[in-house]
Amino acid sequence: MPFSSSCSKVSMVLVVSLFVTSLMAMTASAGNFFQDFDVTFGDERAKILNGGQLLTLNLDKASGSGFKSKNEYLFGRIDMQIKLVSGNSAGTVTAYYLSSEGPTHDEIDFEFLGNLSGDPYTLHTNVFSQGKGNREQQFHLWFDPTKAFHTYSIVWNSQRIIFLVDNIPIRVFQNLETIGVPFPKSQPMRIYSSLWNADDWATRGGLVKTDWTQAPFTASYRNFQASTTSTNSLTEQSAWQTQGLDAAGRNRLRWVQQKFMVYNYCSDIKRFPQGLPAECRRSRF
C-alpha cells in the first residue's frame, strides 16, 4: 500500500474517532441554565449566575421562586446537583421533579422538606401516573445536604423508574402494567423546581412554622445533565435505556431502605384497609 494512501486512511480514522469522542463529550457535558430553563415565578428571586452554570432560588415572606425546562423528555436520565437551604429551614419545601400537564398528568417527584437546625431534612418521593399518586416514600439522608452540592438523579425507562442520590439508588418503581398498575410511558414531561413556603404541612405535620427572621432562604443548583434518546449519538448505547439494579445496586438500595427510610406507603396498612396497592405485593427490585 502506498505511504500516502496509508496516511490518508489513518487520518480519516483519527478524524472520525475525534468526532465521535467530541459528540459523546457534548452529550455528557453539563447544561446551561440560560439555554435549558425558564424562570416560572419569583422574578428576581430566581437568579442565573456564572454564565449560566449556577442557578439560585430564593424564598422570602412575599414569594418563593421556581423554574422549568424548555424541553420535554420522554424517558431518559436527569441529573441535578443541589445544595439545600441551610440553617433553620422549617416550613420550606424545595421541589425538584418531572411532570406532564393536565388532569391525568404523570409526575416523578423529589421534595426536600425543611426542618429545624440540627434536625435532618426529609426527602419525600412520589410517582404519579394518569393523575394518580399516593405512592409516597420518605427518607432521611446520610449526609448534611446543606453543606455541599449533591447529585439527585432520575432514571426513567420503559421498564422502571430509579431514584438516585449521589448515584446510590434509594427507590425503584417498576413497570407493572401486566397486573394493572399504571406506569408513566406516553406523556413527555418537563423538569420543574421550586422553593416555597409549606409550613401548614411540611415540618412535623405543620406544627413547626417558617421563621421569617431567617429569610431569604436559598437553594442552589448546578451541573444539570439530561441524557435522552435525542441527545445520545448513534454510536452510543445509553445505560439508562435498560438500566436496572445489579447485585451491588440491590445491596445499596437495601442499605438505604433499612437505615434511612422513614415512611413507606407499602407498609401503611391503616391507610389502605382494603389491602395494599398491587405494586406493594411485588418485588421492589
Side-chain angles (χ1 to χ4, degrees):
M1 181 182 294
F3 178 76
S4 60
S5 174
S6 176
C7 287
S8 176
K9 289 188 176 182
V10 169
S11 298
M12 182 62 70
V13 169
L14 286 172
V15 168
V16 171
S17 177
L18 286 170
F19 174 76
V20 170
T21 302
S22 175
L23 191 59
M24 292 174 69
M26 286 190 292
T27 299
S29 64
N32 183 288
F33 285 105
F34 282 121
Q35 297 173 2
D36 297 325
F37 293 93
D38 291 318
V39 173
T40 51
F41 73 101
D43 299 322
E44 72 285 352
R45 294 174 185 84
K47 296 181 174 68
I48 299 177
L49 306 167
N50 298 350
Q53 299 306 303
L54 178 70
L55 186 149
T56 60
L57 294 181
N58 289 275
L59 165 68
D60 58 32
K61 199 166 186 178
S63 177
S65 52
F67 62 87
K68 70 176 180 180
S69 63
K70 297 179 187 290
N71 294 325
E72 294 182 318
Y73 305 92
L74 183 62
F75 304 128
R77 175 173 177 138
I78 307 298
D79 299 287
M80 186 79 80
Q81 289 191 336
I82 307 174
K83 183 164 64 173
L84 297 176
V85 175
S86 61
N88 181 1
S89 59
T92 71
V93 173
T94 305
Y96 158 60
Y97 59 101
L98 290 167
S99 183
S100 60
E101 298 181 355
T104 58
H105 77 292
D106 295 337
E107 189 171 321
I108 305 170
D109 288 346
F110 278 106
E111 288 187 312
F112 303 90
L113 313 184
N115 216 329
L116 294 168
S117 298
D119 289 342
Y121 262 83
T122 297
L123 171 52
H124 176 99
T125 67
N126 204 351
V127 176
F128 286 75
S129 185
Q130 299 176 18
K132 180 181 181 298
N134 299 324
R135 300 184 177 101
E136 301 91 346
Q137 290 184 357
Q138 295 183 338
F139 307 84
H140 288 159
L141 295 167
W142 50 96
F143 53 84
D144 184 343
T146 73
K147 298 297 186 185
F149 285 91
H150 292 269
T151 304
Y152 303 92
S153 307
I154 295 168
V155 172
W156 172 34
N157 58 40
S158 60
Q159 298 89 45
R160 63 191 59 83
I161 296 163
I162 308 174
F163 296 76
L164 302 107
V165 176
D166 290 338
N167 217 35
I168 295 173
I170 66 168
R171 177 177 184 176
V172 178
F173 184 81
Q174 299 283 6
N175 183 342
L176 294 174
E177 291 180 301
T178 55
I179 61 170
V181 179
F183 184 84
K185 67 173 187 179
S186 58
Q187 299 186 58
M189 296 194 264
R190 295 185 192 274
I191 304 164
Y192 293 84
S193 191
S194 58
L195 174 58
W196 50 290
N197 178 44
D199 66 3
D200 57 333
W201 66 271
T203 305
R204 300 183 187 175
L207 293 177
V208 182
K209 301 300 183 182
T210 303
D211 180 359
W212 293 110
T213 66
Q214 304 297 312
F217 303 97
T218 303
S220 302
Y221 303 76
R222 72 180 187 188
N223 289 347
F224 160 70
Q225 294 187 48
S227 179
T228 69
T229 51
S230 63
T231 62
N232 292 119
S233 69
L234 295 175
T235 60
E236 183 180 6
Q237 177 62 42
S238 296
W240 65 262
Q241 292 176 284
T242 56
Q243 186 169 340
L245 297 185
D246 58 13
R250 291 192 294 271
N251 285 336
R252 292 189 188 101
L253 180 66
R254 288 190 191 95
W255 174 73
V256 172
Q257 296 194 340
Q258 290 172 2
K259 300 288 187 180
F260 301 101
M261 180 181 280
V262 294
Y263 177 80
N264 183 3
Y265 77 109
C266 281
S267 301
D268 196 343
I269 298 173
K270 291 183 179 178
R271 182 179 174 187
F272 301 102
Q274 304 305 315
L276 293 171
E279 67 268 20
C280 296
R281 300 190 288 273
R282 297 290 293 266
S283 170
R284 59 191 169 184
F285 307 129

